[in-house]
Amino acid sequence: MLQDISAFTQAQTAGQRPLQVAIIVPTFNEADNIAPLIARLSAALTDFQWEVIFVDDNSPDHTADLVRQLALTHPHIRIVQRVGRRGLSSAVIEGMLATAAPILAVIDGDMQHDEALLPHLIRAVADGQAEIAVGTRYAAGGGTQGWDATRLRLSRAATRLGQLALRSPLSDPMSGFFALSRETLSAALPRLSGIGFKILLDIVASLPQAPRVAEFPYQFRNRVAGESKADSQIAVEYLMLLADKTIGRILPVRLLSFLIVGGLGVGVHLAVLGLCLMLGIGFVDGQVAAVAMAIGFNFFLNNILTYRDRRLRGWRICKGLVSFYAVSAIGAAANIGIGNWVHDMDRSWWLSAMAGIVVGAVWNFAASSFVTWRK
Ligand code: GDD
Ligand code: MN
């Protein structure tokens, strides 16, 4: 069977060199950038057998349709269209898995990366000079155009944080412009997080050993068409990625986020209770108000942080809030019940309380992820 296929493909591709490299381009609302980017890729990649794979998250501006239209007459062009999904990193991973090419390169779809660097990145990997070749903004000769001091400082701080957390050898770990071999991808694949925007960092931190890296400086251009998708959410996702790549092996990052939110909820509880006591409201009534406020606070914060990928919107918020109150009520009963039970066994008060808190928290986490934020 395999022989039949290879005879068939040999006939089909007689005289044609095998595919060498796939360029993966994640896109969301980049319609105006597609045609010019393809023209630039074609000019830059004349020495290679290449294909470009756009991974589009069903952009409302119909980027995917436009790619298909161009692909009709350009056999280099392919599309992966994802529906009901978002995320730069996961898009890049799926694009890489959708090609047979032995070398994979990633570039943004908005022409902010310098495509003239692509042949250097590809050759560095093909020649075995490096396992990952990275376009960097933060090495001599690289840079950013017209960024103000605040943006520069923020980017540098995030860069340093990434380097520290992951003991990374990269000068620009946040870069989204790089090339690697399929073997390197395969080695990272089982441990990839796929969270957020920073796929290079994810790959490097998922490898069993630090990779050999070659860096190529370039000037990060300003965006001409379309809009950046970077928002406050990407800062949260960046921290989640770092958490997943560090303590994530011990504690799932979603549980960690849930626990941090719960900890903040304790603060809300105490603040509300304190306020009630100041206003002369009795302790029991104050406790009721404090618990109600803390649970509501936890619901909203978990909805935008812990479960940002399953975020409830519109009327589902009301339904979710009700179910979260129900889950939390059972959690509180379990908390008190377990606490009393341990206490009855003649344990210290704090150990008993902690036992109750742990069981209550784990219940709340598990039950709310199955009920309130069900997939
Ligand atoms: N499929 C998909 N899904 N693509 C996305 C998504 C998404 O949810 N969000 C963004 N993209 C695409 C954009 O269309 C663009 O092609 C590319 O990913 C980068 O997104 P921008 O919104 O332009 O981000 P940026 O300019 O702030 O940052 C980029 O460049 C940095 C410097 O190299 C990112 O690639 C960073 O990761 C990178 O460090
Ligand atoms: Mn951009």
Side-chain angles (χ1 to χ4, degrees):
M1 181 62 188
L2 208 59
Q3 275 158 352
D4 291 352
I5 292 171
S6 81
F8 171 75
T9 50
Q10 263 163 26
Q12 289 283 303
T13 59
Q16 206 177 306
R17 288 190 293 153
L19 178 64
Q20 292 174 301
V21 59
I23 315 296
I24 314 298
V25 186
T27 59
F28 192 77
N29 284 345
E30 302 290 0
D32 293 339
N33 288 313
I34 300 297
L37 177 66
I38 291 172
R40 288 175 180 214
L41 291 177
S42 306
L45 295 167
T46 47
D47 290 348
F48 301 93
Q49 287 295 320
W50 60 282
E51 66 179 2
V52 55
I53 302 188
F54 291 92
V55 187
D56 184 74
D57 286 350
N58 210 23
S59 302
D61 76 351
H62 303 293
T63 301
D65 292 339
L66 178 68
V67 172
R68 277 199 189 87
Q69 203 185 325
L70 296 168
L72 287 174
T73 49
H74 293 71
H76 294 309
I77 303 176
R78 295 180 49 200
I79 175 86
V80 172
Q81 182 176 5
R82 308 194 305 169
V83 179
R85 309 264 308 277
R86 275 300 300 274
L88 203 171
S89 287
S90 62
V92 169
I93 295 166
E94 282 171 45
M96 289 175 162
L97 294 174
T99 173
I103 295 180
L104 308 154
V106 185
I107 189 168
D108 284 353
D110 56 6
M111 297 188 286
Q112 291 193 268
H113 294 154
D114 183 358
E115 67 291 329
L117 215 61
L118 275 173
H120 300 282
L121 298 178
I122 296 165
R123 280 203 194 92
V125 174
D127 298 349
Q129 181 197 333
E131 284 156 326
I132 304 188
V134 184
T136 173
R137 297 165 291 178
Y138 301 134
T144 47
Q145 290 174 4
W147 281 18
D148 60 35
T150 318
R151 189 164 175 201
L152 262 179
R153 219 174 300 133
L154 266 175
S155 178
R156 298 268 180 172
T159 298
R160 222 161 295 138
L161 187 66
Q163 289 166 332
L164 280 177
L166 304 176
R167 277 172 257 113
S168 158
L170 303 166
S171 64
D172 189 358
M174 320 246 289
S175 177
F177 184 33
F178 58 96
L180 77 174
S181 66
R182 177 156 307 275
E183 291 80 61
T184 306
L185 172 71
S186 300
L189 209 48
R191 289 184 47 209
L192 284 178
S193 302
I195 301 173
F197 250 54
K198 300 303 168 190
I199 180 62
L200 173 65
L201 202 57
D202 194 356
I203 291 174
V204 171
S206 297
L207 286 169
Q209 287 152 9
R212 281 178 296 118
V213 173
E215 296 195 310
F216 296 85
Y218 77 100
Q219 291 288 333
F220 188 67
R221 300 183 195 125
N222 286 321
R223 203 184 238 280
V224 179
E227 283 168 15
S228 171
K229 281 91 222 171
D231 54 18
S232 57
Q233 192 76 15
I234 74 153
V236 170
E237 300 201 323
Y238 183 57
L239 295 178
M240 298 257 182
L241 175 66
L242 293 184
D244 192 41
K245 283 285 166 262
T246 46
I247 49 173
R249 259 167 278 171
I250 306 162
L251 205 63
V253 64
R254 214 191 276 279
L255 175 59
L256 183 72
S257 167
F258 193 84
L259 295 178
I260 291 174
V261 169
L264 295 173
V266 172
V268 169
H269 182 123
L270 295 178
V272 172
L273 181 60
L275 193 71
C276 287
L277 294 178
M278 253 165 45
L279 295 175
I281 301 171
F283 180 78
V284 174
D285 290 346
Q287 279 281 68
V288 171
V291 168
M293 290 292 284
I295 294 176
F297 168 85
N298 278 12
F299 171 79
F300 284 105
L301 211 53
N302 277 320
N303 196 37
I304 55 173
L305 292 181
T306 313
Y307 292 102
R308 66 202 179 287
D309 56 333
R310 307 182 197 169
R311 185 160 167 185
L312 307 173
R313 293 169 199 273
W315 68 272
R316 291 167 147 229
I317 290 183
C318 302
K319 235 177 101 180
L321 187 59
V322 170
S323 74
F324 192 67
Y325 269 109
V327 164
S328 304
I330 299 173
N335 184 337
I336 294 169
I338 297 283
N340 288 347
W341 179 60
V342 175
H343 199 236
D344 286 347
M345 295 192 298
D346 232 15
R347 300 292 165 129
S348 62
W349 63 269
W350 59 269
L351 191 70
S352 313
M354 278 310 294
I357 288 169
V358 168
V359 171
V362 169
W363 158 264
N364 281 357
F365 175 67
S368 69
S369 79
F370 281 117
V371 179
T372 310
W373 288 283
R374 189 173 42 214
K375 258 199 181 151

